[in-house]
Amino acid sequence: MREPRDRVLEILNTARRAGRNWLLEHEAKEVCSLYRLPVTRLRLVRTPEEAVKAAEEIGYPVVLKIVSPQVIHKSDVGGVKLGLSSPDEVVGAFREIIDNVRRHVPNAEITGILVQEMAPQSTEVIIGVVNDPQFGHTVMFGLGGVFVELFEDVSFRVTPLTRRDAEEMVREVKAYRILRGYRGLPPADIDAIIDALLRVSMMVEENPEIDQMDLNPIMVYEKGLKVVDARIIFK
């Protein structure tokens, strides 16, 4: 069986040949899935017909997102459509996204559009990585979505992480009370978070080229979790 490292190198080298030091979303999610991090089901498509077929294979509702090296903040240019529940909605959203991007970023190279399952809302967390010149890869954990910037409630550990490290990272954030279940919110799957932290640690240990990573948001459920968005920058 081929090691995940071999495929990661292929993905990084493809990006390098395209003049990028960062991965497109579907590339970053493939890297995550190689290390058995659960990611949203997705397909990269190039026509409205392909989008409908992908949506029916994935199952409604779906999300459509622009894929372009020149479009980093997709929502800012109308490059994301949520909660699409029918073929007609998918076709309309596909065409609207293309029109929006061409209007806001006329020179954008459009790789395609991602059709992605719409993960049910739940507690959001973030797992990030920075490569510190002094300490090496450092993993960060905290409450995700907009809350990571609002509360700055995060914990850090230098890789390689032990299971005890991961457990402490989860428990020392103030948001741990929310993860345990708070005021009607269901408890989050703490073991799944710990497992994800250990898998991220393994990923960056085996792939030292990874310079920064941002998995945000990760939806955590009573059982399991799912990476909704992923960004990876490499050296």
Side-chain angles (χ1 to χ4, degrees):
M1 182 180 296
R2 188 166 71 158
E3 295 295 322
R5 168 71 173 161
D6 296 335
R7 177 57 185 152
V8 171
L9 284 175
E10 288 180 3
I11 295 169
L12 297 184
N13 287 333
T14 297
R16 286 192 183 100
R17 286 193 294 271
R20 290 185 277 115
N21 71 331
W22 52 277
L23 299 182
L24 299 169
E25 183 177 346
H26 63 287
E27 296 169 333
K29 283 184 174 175
E30 182 177 351
V31 172
C32 290
S33 64
L34 288 167
Y35 284 86
R36 293 165 57 195
L37 285 160
V39 301
T40 48
R41 300 189 304 279
L42 53 82
R43 303 279 192 282
L44 178 65
V45 303
R46 292 176 175 82
T47 68
E49 294 75 21
E50 290 178 355
V52 170
K53 182 180 179 183
E56 290 174 347
E57 290 173 353
I58 290 169
Y60 293 106
V62 295
V63 177
L64 264 58
K65 297 181 181 180
I66 191 68
V67 180
S68 169
Q70 289 76 36
V71 180
I72 306 301
H73 302 291
K74 305 178 184 72
S75 297
D76 292 350
V77 298
V80 178
K81 297 293 179 183
L82 306 174
L84 306 172
S85 300
S86 72
D88 286 345
E89 289 183 7
V90 168
V91 170
F94 185 104
R95 292 173 175 158
E96 189 174 345
I97 286 173
I98 297 295
D99 289 344
N100 288 343
V101 172
R102 285 178 175 156
R103 183 170 63 256
H104 290 285
V105 193
N107 298 324
E109 170 196 342
I110 297 177
T111 305
I113 284 184
L114 277 186
V115 182
Q116 174 180 300
E117 72 169 299
M118 188 162 178
Q121 279 295 127
S122 189
T123 303
E124 299 181 10
V125 301
I126 179 173
I127 296 176
V129 174
V130 293
N131 194 3
D132 184 88
Q134 182 175 358
F135 299 107
H137 283 114
T138 303
V139 179
M140 180 266 285
F141 171 76
L143 210 61
V146 297
F147 297 109
V148 66
E149 296 175 359
L150 183 63
F151 297 126
E152 298 181 349
D153 177 24
V154 294
S155 58
F156 295 90
R157 290 294 187 282
V158 175
T159 61
L161 298 186
T162 64
R163 185 169 186 86
R164 181 174 179 179
D165 289 330
E167 290 172 349
E168 289 174 349
M169 289 179 73
V170 175
R171 289 192 171 94
E172 71 188 30
V173 296
K174 298 182 184 70
Y176 182 59
R177 291 177 64 192
I178 295 175
L179 298 176
R180 289 282 304 274
Y182 183 72
R183 291 197 172 183
L185 289 172
D189 189 337
I190 302 296
D191 285 339
I193 297 172
I194 291 168
D195 184 65
L197 286 164
L198 294 174
R199 291 186 184 283
V200 166
S201 175
M202 182 188 304
M203 183 197 305
V204 297
E205 289 169 61
E206 293 186 359
N207 301 281
E209 300 88 351
I210 294 176
D211 193 50
Q212 298 175 43
M213 180 162 57
D214 184 10
L215 308 182
N216 181 35
I218 301 172
M219 295 291 183
V220 187
Y221 304 102
E222 289 187 77
K223 185 65 176 175
L225 56 76
K226 191 152 289 190
V227 177
V228 174
D229 203 354
R231 295 180 177 87
I232 293 176
I233 298 173
F234 60 91
K235 297 184 290 187

